Amino acid sequence: MDVHGRIREILAETIREELAPDQQHLSTEDLIKALRRRGIIDDVMKELNFVTDSVDQELPSPKQTVAFDKQSTLKKTNIDPTRRYLYLQVLGGKAFLEHLQEPEPLPGQVCSTFTLCLHYRNQRFRSKPVPCACEPDFHDGFLLEVHRESLGDGTRMADSTTMLSISDPIHMVLIKTDIFGETTLVASYFLEWRSVLGSENGVTSLTVELMGVGTESKVSVGILNMKLEMYPPLNQTLSQEVVNTQLALERQKTAEKERLFLVYAKQWWREYLQIRPSHNSRLVKIFAQDENGINRPVCSYVKPLRAGRLLDTPRQAARFVNVLGYERAPVIGGGGKQEQWCTLLAFLCRNKGDCEDHANLLCSLLLGYGLEAFVCVGTKAKGAPHAWVMTCGTDGTITFWESLTGHRYIHKPTNPDGPPLAEQPKPLYPYRTIGCVFNHQMFLGNCQPSDAVETCIFDLNDESKWKPMSEEAIKSVCAPGATTSLPPFPPLCASTIDASVTSNEIEMQLRLLVSEHRKDLGLTTVWEDQLSYLLSPALASYEFERTTSISAGNEEFQDAIRRAVPDGHTFKGFPIHFVYRNARRAFATCLRSPFCEEIICCRGDQVRLAVRVRVFTYPESACAVWIMFACKYRSVL
């Protein structure tokens, strides 16, 4: 709406018409009257958005609303006038050659999209999804607060020297979402933003080349154009030389720390092999490759993580990690398992990952809840490498947590030297061998005669059973802020999914799919809404049981169903659980089960069908989807 242009036209017209030769002066009131007569003022009032400022008590002064009007992208945001901000604009992408052949999407057509996720010092941002193309049309601005709490800087606005000492990079993750809602990780990049401190007027434009992930970490996937700007503008900028010297110094320090740790790790490994030559075949993992193909100490993948008010209990945290999708790292062609441990941001934004990613996140959350938690690296049945989590109770109880299923197992070691007829505990867990355990401060290699889990003694202080690494050495490369190459841990984000709306959508789609399927079989479909509603308590109690291991509310459900099903009728129900929200895919899976197929394709007298969907949301965009199909019919046998 070109308000200014229209106001100018009307004022010019008014002046021409109203200004009679005898009248030399028009008052402001006359002009306002003319505008009101044409309805312009009403239109403008309708268009205005008033930002109501909520004033936080802790802040030294109320937040102001600032509009950034840069290249016609107007951004309204609440900012604190006592803080310094970095305004990062993404101004389009180039050379995403994998999408060279893709046709322009038609209006309204569903297409694959790119989304850019950012994390900087506990702040997370997400761009608007843009269609995948050779030159994706990213046009987004992000306002990052650059602030230092320590050393008495809490109340001061950060100046250029303070900001130069803030070494956290901006972590950017590019995600591709296909038309079925499946996500893939395209690139993960750490942006060094401090070049802006030495540039003219505190504004700089840069192009960033994004590299692929995993086996393609040396291949370019595309280029992003960006602009960085400090707000409020810097009073004094540093010389480019000072900035470059600081960055070179940090790189040098980091490289030296990493070199010393590598020397120590080699020495530790030599000593470990001297205990027993067979240790060579144990899964003792000191380093792991991240999505960019960089080797990092495993202890750096774990850190106490607090979920704020998003998760209430350790078991709820285990459930959240369990509903994040499981996907092995993609590998081109056959061959062994491609190993890729992900940084936490890449895992959360993609919403799925391998067993190591799940175990690292669960261990971090359990450490945040004040438990003594470790990630265990070993094998499952058939010798497949696996990672899971272990907690040590103050009374010596050892509990295994399977991060992919949310199951918990108490470990009771069997005594290999016991008499043959003595009662031995039967292990319920699926783990066979264990090579090492680690968390953010400790790394211990298993040096017991056998690495079988069932005979393993988890007395981690006994150096004849577990060979420890020096905690000082681990701290030198894995403590927060120890080196600049460590990606900081992002906070968890609340779910953006509306549980009731999503439940309704999936339920309506399933009704349609069932009706179509029955129509193909020549059967009519009669839905009974009341019966569908009666299935809700069952779904709620299943999820409650998954989270707490306590079953509740089953009696009322059974009673209600008995009352709803008349004498001489039969009731059948089939619950199933998914971690994705694609109704068609869920329906295809349900049909593979003979029990479910029997309900959906039920024939008989007075057949009534019911389906109920309940979506339980968790942080990020993780969710547990429970579906129950049911039918009742007159038994004519």
Side-chain angles (χ1 to χ4, degrees), residues 376 390 398 400 411 434 437 448 453 456-460 466:
C376 304
M390 162 182 95
I398 299 295
F400 292 150
H411 170 68
I434 182 164
V437 301
Q448 295 169 56
V453 180
C456 192
I457 306 288
F458 286 96
D459 177 3
L460 301 180
W466 293 94

Side-chain angles (χ1 to χ4, degrees), residues 555-575:
E555 305 80 12
E556 294 89 342
F557 167 64
Q558 288 177 359
D559 197 49
I561 294 296
R562 283 198 191 96
R563 289 169 57 86
V565 178
D567 284 351
H569 282 62
T570 302
F571 169 84
K572 286 181 178 172
F574 176 80

Side-chain angles (χ1 to χ4, degrees), residues 581-596:
R581 306 188 299 279
N582 183 332
R584 198 172 284 277
R585 186 174 152 198
F587 183 65
T589 309
C590 292
L591 280 179
R592 283 192 219 117
S593 155
F595 299 110
C596 189

Side-chain angles (χ1 to χ4, degrees), residues 258 261 286-288 295-302 341 477-478 486:
E258 286 173 351
F261 182 75
I286 304 171
F287 293 94
N295 269 322
R296 303 212 333 256
V298 288
C299 299
S300 69
Y301 289 89
V302 172
W341 292 31
V477 284
C478 298
L486 285 186

